[in-house]
Amino acid sequence: MTGDSWTGEDVIERDDLETGARIFVALHSSRLGPPTGGTRMKTYPDAGSARRDAMRLAEAMTYKWAAADFARGGGKAVIAVPPDLEASAREGLLRRYGRLLSELGGRFYTGGDVGTSSSDMDVIAETGTPYVFSRTPERGGAGGSGSWTALGVFAAIETACERLFGDPSPRDRRIVVQGVGNVGALLIERLAAAGARVAAADPNGEALGRLRERLGIEAIPSESGLEAPCDLLAPCALGGILNAETIPRLNTRAIVGAANDQLAGPEEALRLRERGVLYAPDFVVNAGGAVAITGIEALGWGADRAEAAVRGIAGTLRRVFDLAESSGVSTDAAARRLAEERLRRGTDPQADGR
Ligand code: PHE
C-alpha cells in the first residue's frame, strides 16, 4: 500500500491559514458505501508524508470494512498540525474542519483516531455537520472506539492462540503489548484478567508505570518492545513497524495488534511467513471500533449486537488463516483476497457487519 500505486477516488486538500495546519481527506473507495474513517491529527515531517499517510490509511479502511462485511467505504482524514498548536487555536481548526465536512456533503464520514478524542468530535459536530461518529455519550454519540477495538483484538488473540497452541485461552501466555494508549491499555486489562503474562512497552513511562502498579504487568524499555521474547506480540501504536530491519529481530510466534498499517510493504508479509511468525492482518484485527461505533450510531445497534459483530472478528480471522494455509499465500494476501471478493460482489444487504 504505497502512495505511488494508489487506486483511490479523490484526495481533498485544504490549507488552514489561521494555524498553518494542512487537511487531507483521502477517499479511497465508495464501492460498498460512503467512505468512513477516523480523523488523525499529528505533526508530520512534511506535507507529502501527511498526504501519503491519509491515502494509505484510507485504503486500509476500504479493506477493513470489506473484510468485516460492513457496507461502508474507505476514507481517512489527516490533519497535519504544527508542533506548537495551542488549545484555543486547535478548537478553531476543528470547527473549520467541521464546515469542510459539511461542504463535502456526505462524501466522507469520520470518527476519532490517533490524536483526536470524542470531545474533539463534539466540537466538530457543534458546527452542525451530521457526518461525525464517536461523539461523547453526553452529546448523543457512542463514545470513543478504543474499548471496542480492544475487544476485537482480544478475540483475534484467542484465535491466534487456538491456531498456535490448540487452546484459545491466553492464560499463561507471554504477550508483549507495544503502546499503552487508548487501545493498548484496555487490551492489557483484558489480557491480565484472562491470566496472560503481560509485558508492555511505551515511551510514555508514566502511563506504563501506572499500569504496572495497577495490574502487576512487566514494563520493558520501549526500544526493545519489538524484540522481547514472547508467544505473541500486539503492536498497538503507530504503523510501518514491521519492516526489513525489525522482522529479523522479532522473537515471537505471532503478531496480533491494533495498530493500522503495520507492514511497511506487502513483501513484509512474506518475510514474516518465512520466519514462521503467524501474522494476523491488522485491518481484520482492528475493525472492532469502527464497526461497533458505526453500527450503533448509523444502524441503531444495541450493545449486544455491536459486541456480537466485534466478536465476529474471530471467525473472519479463522477463515483468513485457513485460506492462507490452503492456498499457500501469506495471511495478508489471504485477507486481501477475502476483502476483494466482497468488493466485487458487494456486502450482503441482510448482514450488516456480520
Ligand atoms: N479510528 C477508527 C479506525 O481506524 C476509525 C473510526 C472510528 C471510524 C470510529 C468510525 C468510527 O478504524
Side-chain angles (χ1 to χ4, degrees), residues 197-217:
R197 292 186 290 128
V198 183
D202 195 297
N204 180 347
E206 225 174 276
L208 196 55
R210 276 198 303 271
L211 281 167
R212 188 184 49 200
E213 263 164 47
R214 193 156 59 84
L215 302 169
I217 63 161

Side-chain angles (χ1 to χ4, degrees), residues 36-40 61 64-65 76 109-114 133-134 143 145 149 260 286-287 289-291 293-294:
T36 304
T39 296
R40 180 165 294 200
M61 285 306 301
K64 189 181 300 192
W65 293 121
K76 195 93 178 190
Y109 286 73
T110 201
D113 199 78
V114 174
F133 300 132
S134 72
S145 57
T149 306
N260 276 309
N286 68 17
V291 162
I293 298 293
T294 309

Side-chain angles (χ1 to χ4, degrees), residues 40-315:
R40 180 165 294 200
M41 190 188 278
K42 67 188 210 70
T43 300
Y44 288 84
D46 52 63
S49 46
R51 188 175 198 275
R52 275 192 301 279
D53 208 24
M55 291 162 75
R56 289 169 63 107
L57 292 163
E59 182 170 349
M61 285 306 301
T62 297
Y63 281 88
K64 189 181 300 192
W65 293 121
D69 207 6
F70 197 105
R72 287 269 160 174
K76 195 93 178 190
V78 159
I79 307 183
V81 290
D84 47 5
L85 186 69
E86 279 175 21
S88 58
R90 188 173 181 280
E91 195 170 317
L93 169 61
L94 287 171
R95 289 184 200 284
R96 288 184 292 279
Y97 174 62
R99 288 193 282 276
L100 171 61
L101 292 177
S102 289
E103 272 171 47
L104 292 177
R107 290 178 69 203
F108 177 61
Y109 286 73
T110 201
D113 199 78
V114 174
T116 57
S117 63
S118 286
S119 345
D120 292 337
M121 297 304 123
D122 289 349
V123 174
I124 294 169
E126 277 170 15
T127 65
T129 191
Y131 310 114
V132 187
F133 300 132
S134 72
R135 283 167 300 151
T136 62
E138 299 77 63
R139 299 291 182 89
S145 57
S147 60
W148 295 108
T149 306
L151 174 63
V153 178
F154 184 81
I157 286 176
E158 289 180 323
T159 303
C161 286
E162 172 188 272
R163 251 326 115 135
L164 289 174
F165 313 114
D167 174 5
S169 168
R171 174 166 295 280
D172 292 332
R173 305 286 171 213
R174 180 169 162 88
I175 301 182
V176 170
V177 178
Q178 200 211 21
V180 300
N182 251 337
V183 178
L186 295 167
L187 175 64
I188 289 171
E189 266 182 37
R190 280 191 182 272
L191 289 171
R197 292 186 290 128
V198 183
D202 195 297
N204 180 347
E206 225 174 276
L208 196 55
R210 276 198 303 271
L211 281 167
R212 188 184 49 200
E213 263 164 47
R214 193 156 59 84
L215 302 169
I217 63 161
E218 183 190 340
I220 51 183
S222 68
E223 58 289 355
S224 48
L226 277 177
E227 47 205 82
C230 56
D231 295 308
L232 204 141
L233 174 69
C236 296
L238 292 175
I241 49 144
L242 300 173
N243 54 50
E245 195 225 322
T246 57
I247 290 174
R249 296 181 0 233
L250 292 172
N251 236 321
T252 184
R253 303 275 310 270
I255 297 179
V256 189
N260 276 309
D261 220 3
Q262 294 170 28
L263 303 174
E267 65 283 2
E268 319 304 348
L270 289 172
R271 275 206 182 98
L272 288 168
R273 196 162 73 121
E274 276 157 26
R275 286 224 49 206
V277 176
L278 180 67
Y279 172 66
D282 48 13
F283 62 85
V284 174
V285 173
N286 68 17
V291 162
I293 298 293
T294 309
I296 293 168
E297 293 195 26
L299 303 176
W301 288 0
D304 288 355
R305 179 84 201 267
E307 178 164 344
V310 174
R311 289 195 186 275
I313 288 173

